Amino acid sequence: MTLQLSGRWFLPCPHVSTHSIQCRTSPYPNPKFPQTRALSATASLFSPPPAIQIVGGKTPTWRENGSVTEAVDDEIDWAEMDADLYYWTRALRPVQWYPGHIAKTEKELKEQLKLIDVVIEVRDARIPLSTTHPQMDLWLGNRKRILVLNREDMISTADRNAWAMHFSRQGTKVVFSNGQLGMGTMKLSRLAKSLAAGVNVKRRAKGLLPRPVRAGIVGYPNVGKSSLINRLLKRRMCPAASRPGVTRELKWVRFGKDLELLDSPGILPMRISDQAAAIKLAICDDIGERSYDVADVAAILVQMLAKLPTVGMKALQNRYKIDVDGQCGKMFIEKLALRLFNGDVHQAAFRVLSDFRKGKFGWVALERPR
């Protein structure tokens, strides 16, 4: 029986027993996951009507305890999580967002890069791999670069250490920051000036007067670029808000006598080919809400949180007072909608996403180095 609460979204999500699950080699087109094994729920393949389910992935890491299923491993296999996420997103509408101002910004930014001494790339510390533009290395070439992982307060010390080690091995200068409170801003300023110190050495050798170091701040929407600049300047010089698309034009601002900063709007690729990364952008509010189905994204978030040892399905059930067997995120959102929002799926989904973004499950990273 199909439950019609919100159009196509609410198809039933039957419980799939471990006896009906078969492993198969999945021919993923994504080169990041070659030869990955994923689950195929054979029970759902032959049951009319065919329900789109966000379940399965790889070998289950769950144990049954009455109506509660929990991740049993203390450490999550992040490569496995990415493979699961890719599998879950295959049936969903693609997440794409490319408002008109981004195309204009990209063109202008390429021109301004010719004037920049050092580039400061800002990423979301919860998803550093998903918040880097695939063309960034090509645009920057040999220019000196500083990587800023903003929102360091939203990840654990273990996550922070893992990323610090990862980028250190790559020889990348990394600064952890909190754009809201200003942590890391002074270190960032000193590092930018030191990396670009050779600029004025060359100018003096040519008989030219010294000039301020020019640093361009780039990154995806809503990763905290403008907030970081405002904290550096200790005043509100750039518009900033907790939603993507607020900054819409490039702007130079002066920081003291020795540093000039270029604030730029968030830039995204015209087409996001990695839909697993796109879902993470949606979960973390780093992409426009019109680009995705809130209910689909919330359902996947539930499944990710259920699989993370630091959260687990039991924590979700305790928070929302909902008892759901298995690991079906859609059924969880369905029950929440019926319990709290008179069947309104959108409100239920938004509640779960909002709770995650506010740290109601603890501060949780959705990526670790692979």
Side-chain angles (χ1 to χ4, degrees), residues 247-261:
T247 303
R248 289 182 170 265
E249 58 183 20
L250 277 73
K251 181 179 181 181
W252 283 99
V253 292
R254 176 71 68 90
F255 177 58
K257 297 180 180 179
D258 303 321
L259 184 63
E260 289 180 347
L261 299 169

Side-chain angles (χ1 to χ4, degrees), residues 126-162:
R126 297 168 294 179
I127 49 171
L129 300 178
S130 297
T131 46
T132 182
H133 198 291
Q135 299 296 314
M136 188 62 69
D137 290 340
L138 180 63
W139 293 344
L140 300 187
N142 294 324
R143 287 182 180 82
K144 295 175 180 178
R145 173 163 49 170
I146 302 170
L147 177 60
V148 175
L149 297 188
N150 195 33
R151 301 188 179 124
E152 68 162 337
D153 56 312
M154 294 186 180
I155 62 174
S156 68
T157 301
D159 292 322
R160 185 174 184 228
N161 291 341

Side-chain angles (χ1 to χ4, degrees), residues 232-252:
L232 274 167
L233 301 177
K234 297 183 180 180
R235 61 186 185 279
R236 188 180 177 86
M237 291 293 294
C238 302
S242 58
R243 66 180 188 276
V246 174
T247 303
R248 289 182 170 265
E249 58 183 20
L250 277 73
K251 181 179 181 181
W252 283 99

Side-chain angles (χ1 to χ4, degrees), residues 56-78:
K58 297 182 68 180
T59 304
T61 53
W62 311 84
R63 69 162 177 261
E64 295 290 341
N65 180 17
S67 61
V68 179
T69 52
E70 298 179 56
V72 298
D73 294 332
D74 291 334
E75 292 293 333
I76 186 74
D77 184 333
W78 287 95

Side-chain angles (χ1 to χ4, degrees), residues 37-271:
R37 296 183 66 81
L39 293 177
S40 175
T42 58
S44 66
L45 294 178
F46 303 104
S47 303
I52 298 175
Q53 300 179 50
I54 308 179
V55 298
K58 297 182 68 180
T59 304
T61 53
W62 311 84
R63 69 162 177 261
E64 295 290 341
N65 180 17
S67 61
V68 179
T69 52
E70 298 179 56
V72 298
D73 294 332
D74 291 334
E75 292 293 333
I76 186 74
D77 184 333
W78 287 95
E80 177 183 310
M81 173 73 89
D82 281 347
D84 285 346
L85 185 55
Y86 176 75
Y87 181 80
W88 296 335
T89 60
R90 293 174 69 188
L92 304 183
R93 173 172 65 87
V95 175
Q96 302 293 345
W97 191 62
Y98 196 73
H101 74 273
I102 290 183
K104 178 183 176 184
T105 296
E106 187 176 309
K107 182 178 179 181
E108 292 177 348
L109 181 60
K110 290 177 182 177
E111 290 298 318
Q112 291 294 325
L113 284 175
K114 300 173 183 177
L115 306 174
I116 289 173
D117 304 314
V118 58
V119 174
I120 300 171
E121 183 188 0
V122 184
R123 302 187 196 177
D124 190 324
R126 297 168 294 179
I127 49 171
L129 300 178
S130 297
T131 46
T132 182
H133 198 291
Q135 299 296 314
M136 188 62 69
D137 290 340
L138 180 63
W139 293 344
L140 300 187
N142 294 324
R143 287 182 180 82
K144 295 175 180 178
R145 173 163 49 170
I146 302 170
L147 177 60
V148 175
L149 297 188
N150 195 33
R151 301 188 179 124
E152 68 162 337
D153 56 312
M154 294 186 180
I155 62 174
S156 68
T157 301
D159 292 322
R160 185 174 184 228
N161 291 341
W163 284 115
M165 184 176 295
H166 172 77
F167 289 114
S168 176
R169 288 171 179 168
Q170 294 183 350
T172 302
K173 300 286 186 181
V174 61
V175 174
F176 290 86
S177 71
N178 179 342
Q180 294 296 321
L181 300 179
M183 297 173 184
T185 53
M186 290 300 102
K187 180 179 179 180
L188 175 60
S189 173
R190 291 193 299 270
L191 186 56
K193 292 175 185 178
S194 65
L195 286 181
V199 172
N200 285 320
V201 173
K202 294 178 180 179
R203 288 180 64 85
R204 290 190 185 95
K206 295 178 181 179
L208 300 174
L209 293 174
R211 63 163 176 78
V213 169
R214 296 169 183 158
I217 298 186
V218 301
Y220 269 31
N222 203 34
V223 294
K225 301 182 297 298
S226 297
S227 295
L228 198 62
I229 290 178
N230 289 337
R231 281 294 176 179
L232 274 167
L233 301 177
K234 297 183 180 180
R235 61 186 185 279
R236 188 180 177 86
M237 291 293 294
C238 302
S242 58
R243 66 180 188 276
V246 174
T247 303
R248 289 182 170 265
E249 58 183 20
L250 277 73
K251 181 179 181 181
W252 283 99
V253 292
R254 176 71 68 90
F255 177 58
K257 297 180 180 179
D258 303 321
L259 184 63
E260 289 180 347
L261 299 169
L262 175 65
D263 185 26
S264 64
I267 49 174
L268 286 164
M270 183 176 292
R271 184 165 296 278

